[in-house]
Amino acid sequence: MLIDLESSFKNLKSSLSQLYIVGAPRSERFAKVRHRVPMLSLANSFSREDVADFESRIRSFLGLGMGEIVMLTAEPKIDGLSLSLRYERGGLVQAATRGDGEEGEDVTVNARTIADIPHRLTGDVPAVFEVRGEAYLGHADFAALNARQREAGDKEFANPRNAAAGSLRQLDAAITASRPLRFFAYAWGDVERLPDDTQFGIVQAFKAWGLPVNPLMTRCASVDELLAHYARIEAMRASLGYDIDGVVYKVDRIDWQQRLGFVGRAPRWATAHKFPAEKATTLVEAIDIQVGRTGALTPVAKLRPVTVGGVVVSNATLHNADEIARLDVRIGDTVVVQRAGDVIPQVVEVVMAQRPASAGPYAFPHACPCDLHTPVVKETTAAGIESVVRRCTGEFACPYQRIEHLKHFCSRRAFDIEGLGDKQIAFFFEKGLIREPGDIFTLAKRDAAPGNLQRIQNYEGFGETSTANLFAAIEARRTIQLERLIFALGIRHVGETTAKMLARNYGTWAVFDAAAMRVAAGDAESAAEMDAIDQIGETVIEAIRSYFAEDHNRAIVDRLAAQLTIIDAEQAAKDSPVAGKTVVFTGSLEKMTRDEAKAMAERLGAKVAGSVSKKTDLVVAGPGAGSKLKAASDLGIEVIDEDGWLRLVAP
Ligand code: IVH
């Protein structure tokens, strides 16, 4: 079977061979640190409207009247890397990078060499206080570092952020010490208590304790004031001496921040207002088609390399066939590309005046570029709307999809296997050593099998040590959290948040797997049960249904699960009185908005349902409650009012 696949992938082989520069797997260089409070990211705003929406969402969530002032802080968004510094009794005890937000790397020794970071805080500092902020490299220091790199014949850094990251993640702290990293404190993690009840006041306390804080942080009482401060910072951008990529707005009142909470990985109480993307002009040398994990065909413009905002860009996404048609991009065209932050560079416009006479319209392929030449289809949604995405119908027969699936499986938020990056996956796939996720966990055993004539350590780019490191990294992930496993399966529409919700709800792999199988078999009750989980609706259920109904997928999942030790999900907020309960809010609420009530219940581990059924545990009824209240009493379900709810969940 493998040999068959091999011979049918000849083309793939040649295109993959460009990827054969197989680097030694990253080694476990730094100890891991679990963040006691996760390090989160920020939602972005790109326009005045986005900022106004952000402010009005806060008002509506908190149920504030127009007369009420929402004080917000505004400060530069530093383009460096975030760092968490743990102080105990005023002394620096640990420094950790962000990592995936849950787990970072212990860089204490290196952080101690940064002059901006005090080893001891002074004044009335709480016994435990984690300060969070950004480590960065100034423009002048960046230029000097690159000059030294050049002289020494070492590789130059593309931009200050990469240089800062490279400098901090040095095994030899003397190297970090020789690079003048700087630091701004702007947030906190695990703390014994807060020194003030406002964002601004806390940052002032940081300053009093001896931490460096950004001088451009201010308080604003309206959207107009935010935008005025944004304009001021933008005007100063070039002369600041360090990279910033926007302005961060945060709700000043900490009690409001707490009520607002989070959506996914980002706080509802903050947003990053990004500066407009940087642009450059270059030539389209080719248009390639990339096949994603779900078979979506994405056209990519291969560009003559050009520097956009300090980064060399040689690929830009063209999104889909409609976008190519809209822009009328042709091979040979000169185009304007833009890059905003970490977002993939995009082609925004064709410079028509420079189009060569020979450039003909681009014809989007009707078959997958893989050797199977599987037909490409346009999907139609349930509502009959034709999607702009063209998809290869090959699924697991399509080698591109299999490789993308494996890449997703090994990615940071999924199995996070060190040393099994994109290049290595493509390499092992092409060698026939890893064809599906389960193969990863049998790799070492097959490699060591008597009679194996081609050991991995003998391939170029590998060696005894890096192979041993790779096997150790794989072994370390054989034990995996349920939510990561569900996410890693690569079910369409099941992202990290959905995977977490599923894991928390079903608790164990066996329970989830059984439920998924019942859903796949068309069991309506199991589907309804899944539907009752917050943030899970028909789209996700349909995706789970079709994934698990496919025998091929089923077999792959079984072979994988047989290799793993799966850690049960942490039942959310186990000790709360409403954990695991299904709650229905009805009637009007007076002390909080419906959104806030829902978010609060979910934070405490409850499920919030829209209608009363025999699965409902508790109904919170305000004035004006009607049919749901009646249904509750018919079914004998406990009913309380808003005050009763607040008493129940009071800390
Ligand atoms: S606040 C819960 N403030 O931006 C919110 N972040 O895109 C915590 N960043 O990971 C972040 N300057 O590394 C905040 N003034 C600032 C920032 C800032 C830069 C970074 C930070 C974060 C990322 C989110």
Side-chain angles (χ1 to χ4, degrees), residues 47 59 94 114 186 193 251 256 262 268-269 283 612 619:
S47 63
R59 285 183 180 281
Q94 190 172 60
I114 300 176
Y186 53 66
R193 68 181 156 83
V251 169
W256 283 358
F262 300 86
R268 266 194 203 88
W269 45 265
L283 194 77
V612 175
V619 171

Side-chain angles (χ1 to χ4, degrees), residues 40-42 44 75-82 98 133-134 186-187 245 248 250 262 267 269-270 272:
L40 300 141
S41 47
L42 292 168
N44 291 328
E75 71 202 66
K77 183 168 191 295
I78 317 298
D79 198 4
L81 69 151
S82 47
R98 179 173 189 274
E134 206 82 353
Y186 53 66
D245 58 349
V248 182
K250 300 171 187 168
F262 300 86
W269 45 265

Side-chain angles (χ1 to χ4, degrees), residues 21 67 88 130-131 140 151 350 366 445 467 498 501 600:
I21 329 110
E88 290 179 5
E130 280 179 12
V131 174
E151 277 158 32
V350 174
H366 293 286
K445 206 166 168 192
T467 310
T498 308
M501 298 307 288
M600 181 192 275

Side-chain angles (χ1 to χ4, degrees), residues 290-570:
Q290 281 179 1
V291 185
R293 172 165 63 86
T294 58
L297 266 51
T298 305
V300 176
K302 295 282 162 183
L303 306 169
R304 175 171 295 169
V306 62
T307 305
V308 192
V311 172
V312 178
V313 168
S314 48
N315 294 313
T317 180
L318 290 165
H319 300 289
N320 51 54
D322 289 22
E323 179 73 357
I324 295 189
R326 187 183 73 79
L327 293 164
D328 185 21
V329 182
R330 303 177 181 191
I331 296 163
D333 269 343
T334 296
V335 292
V336 177
V337 285
Q338 73 171 28
R339 191 186 68 92
D342 302 335
V343 186
I344 308 166
Q346 299 183 323
V347 172
V348 282
E349 170 190 2
V350 174
V351 184
M352 289 298 174
Q354 294 185 36
R355 169 168 288 171
S358 59
Y362 178 75
F364 204 89
H366 293 286
C368 181
C370 77
D371 254 27
L372 306 177
H373 298 302
T374 322
V376 165
V377 295
K378 269 194 178 186
E379 271 174 16
T380 309
T381 65
I385 299 163
E386 200 175 65
S387 158
V388 294
V389 178
R390 300 193 190 191
R391 232 173 261 287
C392 162
T393 47
E395 297 208 6
F396 275 102
C398 170
Y400 287 111
Q401 289 186 55
R402 293 183 75 149
I403 292 183
E404 291 308 315
H405 182 240
L406 285 164
K407 286 183 190 167
H408 168 78
F409 184 86
C410 296
S411 64
R412 197 139 88 147
R413 300 197 193 290
F415 269 66
D416 188 23
I417 299 177
E418 295 218 37
L420 213 45
D422 292 359
K423 286 174 188 164
Q424 290 82 8
I425 290 168
F427 174 82
F428 286 126
F429 184 86
E430 196 276 337
K431 292 289 170 204
L433 291 169
I434 297 177
R435 289 288 178 180
E436 59 177 62
D439 293 345
I440 294 169
F441 298 95
T442 59
L443 187 64
K445 206 166 168 192
R446 283 181 285 132
D447 193 60
N452 175 18
L453 299 178
Q454 182 55 312
R455 304 277 309 270
I456 294 171
Q457 63 181 43
N458 298 329
Y459 282 115
E460 208 187 311
F462 289 88
E464 224 168 300
T465 318
S466 57
T467 310
N469 284 344
L470 173 63
F471 291 161
I474 291 173
E475 215 40 52
R477 291 298 184 192
R478 193 182 287 279
T479 301
I480 193 83
Q481 289 113 307
L482 178 60
E483 61 194 58
R484 277 189 185 257
L485 170 60
I486 296 177
F487 173 63
L489 293 180
I491 304 166
R492 274 182 80 186
H493 306 293
V494 178
E496 237 185 328
T497 308
T498 308
K500 198 174 260 182
M501 298 307 288
L502 288 166
R504 283 186 172 192
N505 190 74
Y506 291 107
T508 69
W509 169 252
V511 175
F512 167 73
D513 190 39
M517 285 312 286
R518 286 196 306 273
V519 168
D523 179 56
E525 198 173 330
S526 301
E529 216 169 87
M530 203 173 269
D531 202 21
I533 303 173
D534 180 49
Q535 296 174 50
I536 291 179
E538 195 37 53
T539 311
V540 168
I541 295 172
E542 184 46 43
I544 292 176
R545 193 192 330 266
S546 70
Y547 189 97
F548 283 86
E550 170 67 60
D551 288 344
H552 191 82
N553 290 347
R554 186 63 251 169
I556 286 178
V557 168
D558 286 345
R559 284 193 289 268
L560 169 67
Q563 294 295 327
L564 303 173
T565 305
I566 303 159
I567 307 173
D568 295 349
E570 271 174 43

Side-chain angles (χ1 to χ4, degrees), residues 206-247:
F206 286 180
K207 194 173 167 185
W209 296 344
L211 288 158
V213 300
N214 193 285
L216 294 174
M217 180 182 192
T218 189
R219 265 177 172 143
C220 298
S222 66
V223 170
D224 285 343
E225 283 185 27
L226 289 177
L227 296 172
H229 195 57
Y230 173 90
R232 221 172 291 138
I233 292 178
E234 192 179 23
M236 296 168 74
R237 187 177 183 190
S239 57
L240 286 177
Y242 50 87
D243 275 357
I244 63 172
D245 58 349
V247 178

